[in-house]
Structure formats: structure tokens, C-alpha cells
Amino acid sequence: MSYQTGTATGPADLMSKLNTFLTGTPGWTADLYSAGNNRAIYSKAGVSTYIMLWWDSTNLAIGMIETPASPIDVAHTSHGGNEFTSSTITSVRYVNAITGPYPSYHFFEDDNYIHIVIEKSSGVYRHVGFGQLNKLGSWTGGTYCWGHYWDQG
């Protein structure tokens, strides 16, 4: 299991650190990482879908791309690549109200998953993650993503 903790100034800094972490020891591939356009697509052998992340100054979104011919094309054509609007992107989850700076973040990874804990302010946490379930038998699916959305209304 790989683990990393630290501080980050906001969503862009956190995503830069996540990109470095994922493409290191855990062995995820950054099929697209565009800090200037606030999006990233990751894949890993054994995980049946691509994972797409999008962020702005206050939010983080995560979705699964159901193995299109080119996940990069999906990222570029979905509202300029900055939103999850394509029919091939499923299970979109959001983590909101995370402007930063963050007193701490924690990345947990083991073979087929990554779980992220963001301390958005002292003692207040947001959670997001994605991965592939360990299957018993052979069946289609098992990829998941989740996010902690806080209704402020």
C-alpha cells in the first residue's frame, strides 16, 4: 500500500501532487494531465475504465469513462474538456467547497484503488476516491468512484 500526506494551497496544487503520486509507485498512467485546462484522465492495467478528474478553484469532480475509442477525445469535446457531459462519462461525483489552502491531505492507494482525504480547514474533511473492486469470479464491471458533496443550502 502506498501512502502520502502533505499540505496543498488549493485544488490545482492538490491535483499536481496527486498526479505525481499516482504515476509513481502506484503505477497509474496519466493518459491526459492538463493543469492549464484543469483536467486529467488516468488508467491502470486491471482497472476496466478510465477515470477522469476535473477541478476549478473550489470544486473537484470525478467520473468514469466507459472505455471509449479515445478517452482523450471525450475530454476535449465535453464542453471544452472542462465538464462531464459526454454520454460515455458515467457516475460523476463532486467534492465541493474546497478552496484551500489545505492543512493536510492524505492519499491511500493499494493495487486497484486510490482514496483521497482533504482537510479543507482545521478539522473539516472531504473524501473522494476511485478504483476497481476485487472480484470473485468473472463478471463485467466493478469500477467505482465516489465523492463527498456537502449541501450548503
Side-chain angles (χ1 to χ4, degrees):
M1 178 172 158
S2 301
Y3 172 76
Q4 178 178 313
T5 189
T7 62
T9 59
D13 186 34
L14 180 74
M15 293 308 300
S16 175
K17 291 175 179 184
L18 179 62
N19 184 65
T20 301
F21 175 75
L22 285 177
T23 58
T25 302
W28 287 79
T29 299
D31 298 289
L32 172 73
Y33 180 78
S34 178
N37 291 313
N38 300 345
R39 65 180 176 268
I41 298 175
Y42 296 97
S43 62
K44 184 172 183 177
V47 177
S48 61
T49 59
Y50 293 88
I51 302 297
M52 182 173 177
L53 299 167
W54 166 83
W55 61 96
D56 62 19
S57 61
T58 60
N59 302 291
L60 170 64
I62 185 171
M64 297 184 299
I65 303 174
E66 300 294 338
T67 321
S70 172
I72 309 307
D73 290 341
V74 171
H76 284 288
T77 58
S78 300
H79 275 261
N82 286 336
E83 293 187 24
F84 299 111
T85 57
S86 171
S87 62
T88 59
I89 301 174
T90 60
S91 302
V92 178
R93 301 293 179 256
Y94 296 91
V95 179
N96 65 327
I98 55 168
T99 51
Y102 311 135
S104 69
Y105 68 82
H106 307 274
F107 301 151
F108 302 89
E109 185 277 341
D110 192 14
D111 292 336
N112 293 333
Y113 72 79
I114 175 77
H115 293 181
I116 303 160
V117 178
I118 304 164
E119 186 178 15
K120 72 164 239 96
S121 60
S122 183
V124 180
Y125 296 88
R126 298 286 183 271
H127 303 263
V128 63
F130 56 89
Q132 172 103 10
L133 299 173
N134 292 328
K135 299 178 186 181
L136 180 59
S138 178
W139 44 275
T140 302
T143 305
Y144 67 91
C145 67
W146 53 275
H148 178 178
Y149 182 85
W150 180 36
D151 183 1
Q152 301 173 46

